[in-house]
Amino acid sequence: MAATKAASLADDLVQRFEEQIETGAMPVGSRFPTEKEITETFGVSRTVVREAYSRLSARGLLVSRRGSGAYVPDGAQYRAFQVTADEIGEIDDVLRLLEMRMGFEVEMADLAARRRTDQDLAELRHTLAAMEASTDVDASVAADTAFHAAIARATGNPYFLRFTQFLGVRLVPSRRLYLQGDDPVRHQRYAHRINRDHEAIHAAIEAGDPAAARRAARRHIEKSIQRYRTLKDSGGDLPSR
């Protein structure tokens, strides 16, 4: 219990400093408070402070200088946003991530429909075929991730691709949730159902129809949200990693 409470207090400190760095309240070069200052201000132990500072350091948000203290390093504000696998531990976490993805995916599909090239369309078709042929979780996740990356590439905007690559498999957690340990036949049936959504998005992009692409992308995410809400209502949970 004590260890859990200490971890929670460290979480609070990490979040507090991350917000200050993100908002510019603690710009590059700012000095972090000393352990003594933190313990007196927030009423936590030195162990909690050290744990929080260790996490901040691991995230590239804190650098220690011997005999001087801890400081916000160059570029820290650009590394502050992260979505780690450890953070996606509950269904509510997945739902929040899907809500964030909604606007991103819809706009990405719109731009892809306006700008796609023949090579982009060929890559999309290749990912659809890979998904259709998948018989296990890893192959399905890889094909799904590649599909979204292909849409991002078709926008012609490298930042869409970089952000999609940053999210990685967090774009498509549902296969691992629903199919881990299932037999290949059931897996294929589920993968085919997901691929129908992908095919609708692909068809709109291929037709150069931004409005249809937006609708198809939105519907795809809405279905994922509904699956997770249904699972939550039934008392389900994410699988252990």
Side-chain angles (χ1 to χ4, degrees), residues 181-194:
D182 279 350
D183 64 86
V185 173
R186 186 177 178 184
H187 170 83
Q188 279 193 314
R189 189 159 53 240
Y190 184 81
H192 292 170
R193 187 163 75 247
I194 296 298

Side-chain angles (χ1 to χ4, degrees), residues 4-18 48 51-52 55 59:
T4 301
K5 182 178 180 181
S8 177
L9 292 172
D11 288 339
D12 292 342
L13 280 180
V14 169
Q15 182 177 3
R16 180 183 297 271
F17 284 118
E18 281 186 335
V48 168
E51 171 64 20
R55 294 187 200 174
R59 298 184 187 186

Side-chain angles (χ1 to χ4, degrees), residues 42-182:
F42 297 101
V44 297
S45 69
R46 289 180 179 268
T47 299
V48 168
V49 179
R50 289 167 186 165
E51 171 64 20
Y53 278 17
S54 176
R55 294 187 200 174
L56 289 165
S57 177
R59 298 184 187 186
L61 301 178
L62 177 153
V63 61
S64 296
R65 298 175 186 168
R66 186 179 296 277
S68 178
Y71 295 83
V72 179
D74 292 342
Q77 63 267 46
Y78 302 111
R79 294 195 291 269
F81 177 75
Q82 295 187 57
V83 182
T84 65
D86 291 342
E87 292 176 278
I88 312 300
E90 299 179 359
I91 292 177
D92 282 339
D93 297 325
V94 176
L95 287 170
R96 283 188 282 267
L97 185 60
L98 286 169
E99 287 177 354
M100 182 276 292
R101 279 183 52 200
M102 180 73 80
F104 172 77
E105 295 278 353
V106 168
E107 189 63 26
M108 191 165 69
D110 179 299
L111 292 175
R114 298 174 190 273
R115 301 171 180 174
R116 83 287 185 275
T117 65
D118 289 343
Q119 182 176 346
D120 293 325
L121 293 174
E123 185 176 355
L124 284 168
R125 286 192 293 270
H126 176 75
T127 65
L128 292 174
M131 172 71 87
E132 201 71 13
S134 67
T135 58
D136 61 72
V137 175
D138 291 336
S140 176
V141 168
D144 203 339
T145 303
F147 175 78
H148 290 283
I151 295 175
R153 192 173 288 107
T155 68
N157 183 335
Y159 293 130
F160 274 103
L161 181 59
R162 286 172 60 183
F163 190 63
T164 299
Q165 291 171 333
F166 159 73
L167 288 174
V169 295
R170 285 173 287 274
L171 282 167
V172 288
S174 56
R175 240 65 68 234
R176 295 193 179 281
L177 173 60
Y178 286 93
L179 298 172
Q180 191 71 50
D182 279 350

